[in-house]
Amino acid sequence: MDIVVKGRKTEVPERFRKHVAEKLKLEKIQKLDGKVISLDVEVSKEPNPRQADRSDRVEITLHSRGPVIRAEAAASDPYAALDLAAEKLDARLRKQHDKRHTRRGARRLTAAEVADHVPGAATLNGNGHTAHDEESDSVPTKKIGSLEVKGDGPLIVREKTHVASPMSLDQALYEMELVGHDFYLFIDSETKEPSVVYRRHAYDYGVIHLSTDPMVAQAQAPAAGGTLGG
């Protein structure tokens, strides 16, 4: 395979032709595309002085038994334009090369595997219809700990359950300091209700007691019996 360098409305010096041969390594190109037939490099010049920074344009066209690959770039001189075009050509060759190897190495997926390998792929139910259509009206439900959350819901990253014996307030403070936490949940031995001790400023502590509202408890309790009609 030869490299053909030609100029369009401009002369191509011999020095530039040698630079093209050094820049476009045929061995490297053939390694990425073994079906290359020819490589054409065309140089053109823009006479408009307002486009002096893009006056020289280089277009590289690679013909092979596969698709034609073309890369072009413009710069203030033909050498800089060639460097930019060569980088584009190399990137496109590598992309085409990786694409071919991916197709060869990949096996054909079964219908059941498509949803696992292709993001956003629709799944089919037993009747051949998309399962998404059936579930569009329903809100997704997920299990988080002991909670059943619909939609996004609250984010619970950890859930713990501890077995606790009733203790005094002094014992709860001692246990909090022992574990090095800023709060401690316990069952108050006097009230038999859940309570929390917590660290405040300096050496001050606070305590929160929970008590059951008898009115709420009575409203939520199931009825003990029913009335007889008749």
Side-chain angles (χ1 to χ4, degrees):
M1 181 190 71
D2 295 327
I3 300 178
V4 178
V5 182
K6 56 185 177 181
R8 185 172 61 184
K9 298 181 181 180
T10 185
E11 293 291 333
V12 180
E14 189 62 29
R15 178 188 171 193
F16 182 79
R17 296 178 183 274
K18 292 181 179 179
H19 184 69
V20 170
E22 294 173 358
K23 189 68 179 179
L24 301 178
K25 302 291 185 181
L26 295 181
E27 294 181 359
K28 182 179 179 181
I29 293 175
Q30 289 177 329
K31 187 176 294 186
L32 295 174
D33 189 346
K35 299 180 180 180
V36 177
I37 299 174
S38 64
L39 188 64
D40 297 335
V41 178
E42 184 178 86
V43 184
S44 60
K45 194 170 185 66
E46 173 59 53
N48 190 346
R50 294 183 179 180
Q51 299 184 10
D53 58 336
R54 298 174 57 84
S55 60
D56 291 277
R57 178 176 296 274
V58 173
E59 181 178 315
I60 306 173
T61 305
L62 187 147
H63 300 275
S64 69
R65 288 191 288 274
V68 175
I69 300 177
R70 181 176 289 104
E72 60 179 318
S76 57
D77 64 82
Y79 296 92
L82 175 65
D83 293 345
L84 294 174
E87 291 177 4
K88 293 181 180 180
L89 179 69
D90 183 70
R92 290 168 186 173
L93 277 172
R94 291 184 182 278
K95 183 178 180 180
Q96 190 72 14
H97 177 267
D98 295 341
K99 187 177 181 180
R100 286 196 301 268
H101 279 256
T102 301
R103 286 178 176 176
R104 291 174 184 173
R107 65 180 180 87
R108 180 171 295 182
L109 300 177
T110 62
E113 295 175 317
V114 171
D116 298 330
H117 291 79
V118 181
T123 55
L124 301 179
N125 57 19
N127 298 325
H129 300 292
T130 57
H132 174 72
D133 295 338
E134 297 180 352
E135 300 173 358
S136 58
D137 297 334
S138 62
V139 180
T141 303
K142 56 185 176 182
K143 193 81 171 179
I144 301 179
S146 60
L147 298 178
E148 194 173 85
V149 181
K150 290 188 176 182
D152 293 335
L155 179 61
I156 300 177
V157 295
R158 179 180 295 180
E159 181 184 18
K160 288 185 177 180
T161 302
H162 295 279
V163 178
S165 301
M167 65 179 64
S168 65
L169 178 60
D170 291 340
Q171 181 66 24
L173 290 172
Y174 173 77
E175 294 289 344
M176 182 182 70
E177 294 292 344
L178 191 65
V179 297
H181 290 172
D182 293 328
F183 68 93
Y184 191 80
L185 176 65
F186 69 104
I187 304 296
D188 195 308
S189 57
E190 294 184 4
T191 64
K192 302 298 187 291
E193 298 284 357
S195 304
V196 175
V197 290
Y198 62 94
R199 193 189 313 277
R200 301 183 76 249
H201 305 292
Y203 295 100
D204 294 339
Y205 300 98
V207 58
I208 300 174
H209 297 288
L210 294 180
S211 60
T212 304
D213 189 335
M215 298 298 294
V216 175
Q218 184 177 0
Q220 293 180 346
T227 59
L228 296 176

